[in-house]
Amino acid sequence: MISELSTYEATKLEEVTVWFKAAETSKFPKNGGACVKYKDKQIAVFNFTRKGEWYACQNLCPHKMEMVLSRGMVGVEGEHPKVACPLHKNTFSLKTGEHLNGNLNAIATYPIKIEENFVYIGFSE
């Protein structure tokens, strides 16, 4: 199970070597998430329309090792846009991946860009 976590490593914007064309923006629910697959990774993509921003992170919740974060609720905690795992409500920053209500390891986050109504996710290879 822990080896699944090693599949995910956060990528900073300056580290991006590949922009993966995920889907049209219309395919993602407003103020919610959807899962896309890139190679051996499941990536949760969030269209946070209330903030006018997009976010991407690993779909794997490190608490129970389930692929569920894309079905979590998005919101804000202080300055942190966040997602709450639908299983046990562990919350993670969508900017930094930091666990906001406990001591779980951070989740991997990825840059997103929108071009011509398509969502692109940045990865380093």
Side-chain angles (χ1 to χ4, degrees):
M1 291 278 205
I2 300 300
S3 65
E4 289 180 37
L5 282 174
S6 65
T7 302
Y8 299 95
E9 189 173 323
T11 302
K12 294 183 170 113
L13 183 59
E14 60 272 13
E15 300 169 341
V16 171
T17 58
V18 173
W19 285 102
F20 171 67
K21 188 176 186 179
E24 291 183 25
T25 55
S26 62
K27 302 295 182 187
F28 296 91
K30 293 179 180 178
N31 294 307
C35 182
V36 299
K37 188 158 177 149
Y38 175 73
K39 297 188 177 183
D40 59 346
K41 297 173 175 58
Q42 285 191 31
I43 305 298
V45 176
F46 298 96
N47 177 5
F48 200 166
T49 55
R50 288 178 302 188
K51 290 186 63 64
E53 297 174 352
W54 289 80
Y55 300 97
C57 67
Q58 68 187 49
N59 195 34
L60 181 65
C61 178
H63 177 228
K64 292 291 183 180
M65 303 299 289
E66 297 287 339
M67 297 288 188
V68 295
L69 291 180
S70 63
R71 295 181 299 188
M73 292 177 54
V74 294
V76 179
E77 186 169 318
E79 294 296 314
H80 293 277
K82 68 177 183 175
V83 61
C85 176
L87 296 179
H88 296 99
K89 307 305 180 233
N90 284 297
T91 58
F92 300 91
S93 167
L94 289 170
K95 284 189 177 182
T96 66
E98 172 189 7
H99 186 216
L100 298 174
N101 64 336
N103 60 359
L104 291 173
N105 289 335
I107 59 171
T109 57
Y110 303 92
I112 282 202
K113 67 178 180 178
I114 308 298
E115 288 185 353
E116 298 180 7
N117 293 319
F118 278 90
V119 176
Y120 292 83
I121 306 166
F123 296 98
S124 60
E125 302 260 327

